[in-house]
Amino acid sequence: MHAIVDSLAMIGISYVMGFLFYGFYRQFNARVQRRWGPSLWQNFFDNMKFLLKTETLTHGPMFFLGPMIIAAGAITTVLFVPFLKDSDWLQGFSEHGNLILIIYLLVVGPLGNALAVGSSGNPFGVMGVTRGLTRLMGLEVPFFLGLALVMLQHETTSVHAIMAAQDGLAQWNLFTNPIAFIVILLPFIASQNASPFDVVGAPVEVYAGPRVEFGGRLLGLLMTQNMMMTVAKLVLVVDLFMGGAGNVPILILKAFSLFLLTASISLVFPRLKTEQTVDFFWKVPLGLGVLGVIATVWLPWGA
Amino acid sequence: MYHKSECEGFQCEQRMLEESLGQENAQTGLVDRLVGWLRQRSLFVLAYGTGCGAIEMRPLMTSRFDAERFGIIGAPTPRQADVLVISGYLALKTLKRVIRSYEQMQEPKYVIALGSCAINGGMYWDSYNTIKQLDHYLPVDMYINGCMPRPEALIEGFAALQKKIGRGEPSGFKRYRENIDWYKANQRRVLGENMPPDYTYDWYHAGGVA
């Protein structure tokens, strides 16, 4: 019973945080461009509208199963990331999982995307998926190297143990291991589909990217899972680098400040091309990651 | 002097169509109005730049008039769009593409006709190659007249459409479904052999259940 209520609460919190954060992002974006922008609730209305529309497309069973796979991956990820530290609530099934499992779950989304879009046969969609998988090749290596650095530092794969090790502000991994934070931050921006690494859904260029063939309810489902996945990733980075959160307001504050950082970065940089993105990831974050591994493992002043 | 206040002859066809739906006295329940209230806050626009009216859509969507503050934002594909904006005259060649785009949109969907060319032909009244009255080929929900209407007028038209959606009234796509034979006959009359493929309205062959 506790597990069911807890899971529903986690799903609800991640959804509400998701649409409010994205609503803020759209308004922030508008103010930077000197216009008023939509209300904070705009993403909620968009999502509800899509969920209330009809869906009359038929492209075979995989076209319908793909969004289900993506949404299942997002909900499972939410349930395996502990939202609070030292609490019975908002834990989901994180007791039974660890960072390695979360790494696997993060890849379910792009794979489901490729399956669904591939069966739709739309050339714009296939172009978007190709770009997405190419970018994934670039961003995954530094992202996992950054996570490996954190796991090496604490010699555990448990998110709970890593959170417990960061007691005060001075023990935050953000300050004790800044190289890992930078190595993770750049792929993290890309995995949120934010500029300058937003070449996958690039509006105007590839007609909405992988989602070109989705309209109606399936697109609504994809929007929902996207917002929940964003919050799951934000909370994961808060857990790993900012010491987790004791209660929900602190969690929202920490996740929001991280979101503000990534949003500010993505507002000022223009879009990179696919090969530029991969080049960048394999030079800057990966180079930093390799330096970090050398500093942590082999040098005498390392841990 | 001959002054005509009523429609006559074929001009009355449209009014007869709309009367059969009983739009004025439509009974809308609580759920209809709640769903309508949610829907009216978010309109994705497929701006089909058919004529010169397309030039007014740019300032509407960008920083100066900023339609995004009303939840109106451009959609990249017909699949994701709610509103089809026909901006100006429609050549026969364009009409075929517009019909196909409209049928690819997911319901509920709305059509806004922009400028006098889409209402009665405007300055293309006796052109051999453009249609005069868009409402004979696609169900139009809102007309914005002018040659061309300014972005302020467009915003007012969108706001009127949002009010109409918010009341949960039956809109054009239902008219299109119920009178598909009439619309297809009209389309066939101008397009002849060049009709768009019929798999975009295959619900018609499935007896309206698809």
Side-chain angles (χ1 to χ4, degrees):
Chain A
M1 189 63 203
H2 178 269
I4 294 171
V5 176
D6 199 34
S7 309
L8 289 177
M10 282 172 90
I11 291 169
I13 282 188
S14 60
Y15 180 66
V16 172
M17 274 170 76
F19 74 70
L20 287 178
F21 278 17
Y22 269 105
F24 168 82
Y25 175 74
R26 283 173 73 172
Q27 206 169 58
F28 187 47
N29 200 358
R31 296 296 162 89
V32 170
Q33 294 169 0
R34 291 200 163 192
R35 54 195 175 89
W36 283 107
S39 76
L40 214 56
W41 300 85
Q42 187 59 47
N43 266 61
F44 175 69
F45 290 128
D46 284 353
N47 196 2
M48 280 297 137
K49 179 204 65 183
F50 277 123
L51 289 176
L52 290 168
K53 281 186 96 160
T54 56
E55 178 77 56
T56 52
L57 293 175
T58 44
H59 284 303
M62 212 54 228
F63 187 71
F64 287 91
L65 285 175
M68 309 300 163
I69 294 172
I70 305 172
I75 289 173
T76 321
T77 315
V78 166
L79 292 182
F80 276 107
V81 175
F83 275 39
L84 294 183
K85 180 164 75 169
D86 307 328
S87 165
D88 282 344
W89 290 97
L90 296 184
Q91 298 300 312
F93 301 99
S94 58
E95 289 290 322
H96 310 289
N98 56 25
L99 212 46
I100 311 253
L101 179 70
I102 295 173
I103 288 175
Y104 275 104
L105 287 174
L106 288 178
V107 197
V108 171
L111 287 182
N113 222 342
L115 285 173
V117 176
S119 63
S120 82
N122 191 314
F124 289 115
V126 174
M127 195 191 293
V129 164
T130 315
R131 291 179 175 203
L133 292 180
T134 314
R135 187 188 64 175
L136 197 70
M137 209 167 67
L139 74 88
E140 290 225 308
V141 181
F143 191 68
F144 296 157
L145 201 59
L147 290 179
L149 275 173
V150 177
M151 289 191 263
L152 266 178
Q153 187 194 354
H154 293 279
E155 294 178 338
T156 172
T157 58
S158 158
V159 184
H160 286 281
I162 295 175
M163 264 201 291
Q166 310 171 53
D167 270 338
L169 196 66
Q171 274 85 43
W172 282 12
N173 281 347
L174 181 62
F175 302 116
T176 57
N177 202 350
I179 293 180
F181 181 69
I182 294 169
V183 169
I184 284 211
L185 183 70
L186 294 164
F188 175 70
I189 293 173
S191 73
Q192 310 277 43
N193 259 331
S195 180
F197 311 114
D198 60 344
V199 76
V200 176
V204 182
E205 268 188 72
V206 288
Y207 274 142
R211 293 181 183 179
V212 61
E213 200 60 12
F214 294 103
R217 278 173 208 147
L218 292 181
L219 184 65
L221 192 66
L222 286 177
M223 276 180 84
T224 312
Q225 70 84 21
N226 187 33
M227 295 192 274
M228 287 169 61
M229 199 68 183
T230 301
V231 172
K233 286 174 192 161
L234 280 171
V235 172
L236 181 66
V237 175
V238 166
D239 282 353
L240 292 182
F241 288 97
M242 296 160 85
N247 51 36
V248 175
I250 301 280
L251 176 75
I252 292 176
L253 191 73
K254 283 183 176 175
F256 182 74
S257 52
L258 189 65
F259 185 76
L260 199 61
L261 176 69
T262 57
S264 313
I265 291 173
S266 71
L267 276 183
V268 281
F269 288 104
R271 182 183 305 150
L272 293 175
K273 288 193 278 188
T274 319
E275 62 267 26
Q276 287 173 330
T277 311
V278 176
D279 276 359
F280 176 79
F281 278 127
W282 281 0
K283 277 176 193 158
V284 180
L286 192 62
L288 268 175
V290 171
L291 285 181
V293 169
I294 291 171
T296 319
V297 180
W298 284 301
L299 291 188
W301 59 84
Chain B
M1 187 180 150
Y2 176 66
H3 179 72
K4 174 169 61 104
S5 58
E6 279 292 301
C7 62
E8 40 182 56
F10 72 88
Q11 296 168 340
C12 299
E13 277 180 349
Q14 192 59 45
R15 208 179 60 182
M16 282 154 64
L17 279 181
E18 285 173 10
E19 270 170 5
S20 70
L21 275 176
Q23 294 213 349
E24 297 297 320
N25 315 315
Q27 292 290 317
T28 53
L30 186 67
V31 178
D32 281 342
R33 269 177 287 151
L34 181 67
V35 170
W37 182 79
L38 281 170
R39 272 179 187 152
Q40 65 160 345
R41 304 291 298 266
S42 160
L43 294 178
F44 280 36
V45 176
L46 183 69
Y48 203 102
T50 56
C52 32
I55 201 86
E56 301 292 343
M57 295 299 291
R58 273 75 179 150
L60 179 72
M61 291 298 176
T62 46
S63 295
R64 167 100 177 156
F65 290 97
D66 187 25
E68 201 186 354
R69 65 200 150 117
F70 305 108
I72 300 161
I73 192 168
T77 85
R79 299 283 189 217
Q80 303 171 4
D82 305 299
V83 184
L84 177 62
V85 175
I86 305 292
S87 47
Y89 68 86
L90 266 180
L92 294 183
K93 214 172 170 179
T94 330
L95 177 68
K96 190 177 156 188
R97 275 76 182 172
V98 165
I99 291 168
R100 197 163 171 192
S101 301
Y102 178 73
E103 284 169 355
Q104 281 180 346
M105 287 161 68
Q106 309 292 310
E107 289 172 357
K109 48 192 175 185
Y110 312 93
V111 179
I112 289 183
L114 195 160
S116 46
C117 295
I119 299 174
N120 59 10
M123 62 191 277
Y124 297 96
W125 169 257
D126 49 3
S127 163
Y128 67 98
N129 199 25
T130 57
I131 55 157
K132 291 181 193 52
Q133 207 176 334
L134 177 62
D135 216 349
H136 283 178
Y137 311 97
L138 287 178
V140 179
D141 289 287
M142 191 60 64
Y143 287 110
I144 304 168
N145 76 2
C147 185
M148 296 309 302
R150 297 231 345 123
E152 292 95 327
L154 285 179
I155 288 176
E156 190 153 345
F158 271 108
L161 180 66
Q162 282 177 329
K163 266 187 201 145
K164 198 177 161 188
I165 298 168
R167 286 196 296 268
E169 287 176 14
S171 68
F173 68 95
K174 284 191 183 142
R175 205 160 74 224
Y176 194 69
R177 270 186 178 253
E178 281 167 25
N179 302 296
I180 182 72
D181 291 322
W182 187 76
Y183 283 109
K184 282 294 161 192
N186 282 341
Q187 290 167 8
R188 206 167 282 119
R189 194 178 302 144
V190 292
L191 293 175
E193 291 298 304
N194 286 322
M195 283 291 282
D198 58 0
Y199 53 76
T200 47
Y201 62 103
D202 48 6
W203 46 265
Y204 176 59
H205 302 291
V209 290

